[in-house]
Amino acid sequence: MVSTATKIGSFTFDNCLMNAAGVYCMTREELLEIEASAAGSFVTKTGTLNARPGNPEPRYADTLLGSINSMGLPNHGYQYYLDFVTELQNNPDSKPHFLSLVGLSQDETHTILKAVEASDYKGLIELNLSCPNVPGKPQIAYDFETTEAILTEVFTYFTKPLGVKLPPYFDIVHFDQAAAVFNKFPLTFVNCINSIGNGLVIEDETVLIKPKNGFGGIGGDYVKPTALANVHAFYQRLNPSIQIIGTGGVKTGRDAFEHILCGASMVQIGTALHQEGPAIFERITSELKAIMQEKGYETLEDFRGKLNYLA
């Protein structure tokens, strides 16, 4: 029997596929749709200290090869999502979940994480270090000193299973530097990648989205090679105890297969989920299982990280 079951830390998932933060996760209703689908889990919208309306519309657009967005972190506030995942975990049939969080300042981040630490929530937590769409705010994870300072303080008080969502890195030395920072901490996972920041898509003579004069994060087919490179680079460099969630350009079973081949333990779907809806999980799971069967793989561990190089 071919299985797409997987583990992150001490948590077991019946399927390795799930949504990416930002897609089908704004409301309880959307999250329940993912919960009821073939997905193995869901991640919540990245929750900030207070609710945020986000950037002005239009702030998302589908494109020929994917999507562009500058959402500006619209969300109902971390407490909304914390309450929901804590409620769900009391249901014996519930899947393990990921609670995504970030503060708009270091102080806010610590305020949120301390509240989660004190809560009854027993699932996984994702600290989003890769928010490219808040005007005037740089991506935290591109600043290695700040990243190390934040994580150093976080692990003085935080004991629950924590991972980080990362932006794409583009230079080998940055993979080395980032991994050196992450290997200092008891992280449960890293999630590679968020959208490629500050792309620009034009139709006729006009940009597609309103915020930042059209600049926004790029997702979909455009980003898969960059996502695979980040997944594999960190698979090669991180302590084996830090697992990898692969995100970027997944719309077929083959795409998911490649992320796992590069070292991912779970695979998130963003742009394609937005375009196709939660039924996508059943389709991609079937396609992934067909590839595994054809190659004689029964579990993800049979091929995870076993990318071949040219001699």
Side-chain angles (χ1 to χ4, degrees), residues 132 139 142 168 170 193-199 216-219 222-223 226-227:
Q139 295 195 50
Y142 285 150
F170 301 98
I193 58 171
N194 205 330
S195 56
I196 295 179
N198 294 314
I218 299 295
Y222 305 104
V223 309
T226 299

Side-chain angles (χ1 to χ4, degrees), residues 190-245:
V190 299
N191 185 346
C192 316
I193 58 171
N194 205 330
S195 56
I196 295 179
N198 294 314
L200 191 63
V201 181
I202 298 164
E203 198 169 273
D204 191 15
E205 298 180 14
T206 307
V207 299
L208 288 187
I209 57 174
K210 185 172 182 178
K212 295 163 60 177
N213 291 331
F215 284 71
I218 299 295
D221 293 1
Y222 305 104
V223 309
K224 192 178 82 166
T226 299
L228 294 177
N230 276 257
V231 167
H232 197 55
F234 283 115
Y235 180 75
Q236 293 171 311
R237 288 165 174 78
L238 292 178
N239 299 331
S241 59
I242 304 176
Q243 288 169 279
I244 298 167
I245 298 174

Side-chain angles (χ1 to χ4, degrees), residues 19-294:
N19 69 306
V23 185
Y24 265 87
C25 59
M26 182 73 168
T27 65
R28 290 172 176 234
E29 292 73 24
E30 287 180 333
L31 289 165
L32 285 172
E33 283 191 66
I34 304 298
E35 179 82 350
S37 76
S41 181
F42 68 61
V43 59
T44 64
K45 186 81 176 86
T46 298
T48 50
L49 187 60
N50 301 304
R52 290 173 54 86
N55 290 338
E57 303 271 8
R59 57 194 184 189
Y60 174 96
D62 289 319
T63 67
L64 189 62
L65 293 173
S67 64
I68 183 169
N69 83 86
S70 180
M71 303 300 288
L73 280 177
N75 73 95
H76 292 299
Y78 84 92
Q79 193 70 52
Y80 174 94
Y81 303 105
L82 176 58
D83 290 346
F84 181 55
V85 290
T86 304
E87 263 173 51
L88 276 186
Q89 75 187 7
N90 297 324
N91 178 345
D93 298 325
S94 180
K95 304 167 183 178
H97 301 116
F98 293 78
L99 176 66
S100 184
L101 307 163
V102 74
L104 299 182
S105 67
Q106 290 188 44
D107 286 347
E108 283 191 10
T109 294
H110 294 305
T111 298
I112 295 167
L113 286 174
K114 284 174 180 174
V116 174
E117 173 73 12
S119 76
D120 293 329
Y121 178 57
K122 297 179 177 68
L124 291 137
I125 296 96
E126 176 179 275
L127 178 59
N128 189 346
L129 299 180
S130 62
C131 298
N133 297 323
V134 180
K137 303 280 185 183
Q139 295 195 50
I140 299 164
Y142 285 150
D143 182 337
F144 297 126
E145 279 184 32
T146 298
T147 297
E148 185 168 352
I150 289 171
L151 292 177
T152 298
E153 185 168 344
V154 164
F155 284 108
T156 63
Y157 61 83
F158 203 79
T159 62
K160 297 185 177 185
L162 182 74
V164 289
K165 177 72 176 279
L166 300 176
Y169 297 100
F170 301 98
D171 198 304
I172 297 296
V173 72
H174 292 153
F175 292 133
D176 294 339
Q177 291 170 335
V181 171
F182 300 138
N183 281 334
K184 293 178 181 179
F185 301 100
L187 291 168
T188 303
F189 66 91
V190 299
N191 185 346
C192 316
I193 58 171
N194 205 330
S195 56
I196 295 179
N198 294 314
L200 191 63
V201 181
I202 298 164
E203 198 169 273
D204 191 15
E205 298 180 14
T206 307
V207 299
L208 288 187
I209 57 174
K210 185 172 182 178
K212 295 163 60 177
N213 291 331
F215 284 71
I218 299 295
D221 293 1
Y222 305 104
V223 309
K224 192 178 82 166
T226 299
L228 294 177
N230 276 257
V231 167
H232 197 55
F234 283 115
Y235 180 75
Q236 293 171 311
R237 288 165 174 78
L238 292 178
N239 299 331
S241 59
I242 304 176
Q243 288 169 279
I244 298 167
I245 298 174
T247 308
V250 177
K251 66 178 185 183
T252 67
R254 175 68 202 186
D255 299 327
F257 178 82
E258 290 177 8
H259 269 272
I260 298 158
L261 192 65
C262 285
S265 293
M266 287 193 87
V267 178
Q268 294 186 347
I269 304 171
T271 295
L273 170 60
H274 184 275
Q275 294 170 346
E276 192 172 324
I280 195 172
F281 293 110
E282 192 169 348
R283 174 178 68 76
I284 293 184
T285 303
S286 297
E287 292 172 1
L288 175 57
K289 284 183 172 178
I291 293 168
M292 290 171 64
Q293 198 153 14
E294 185 185 325

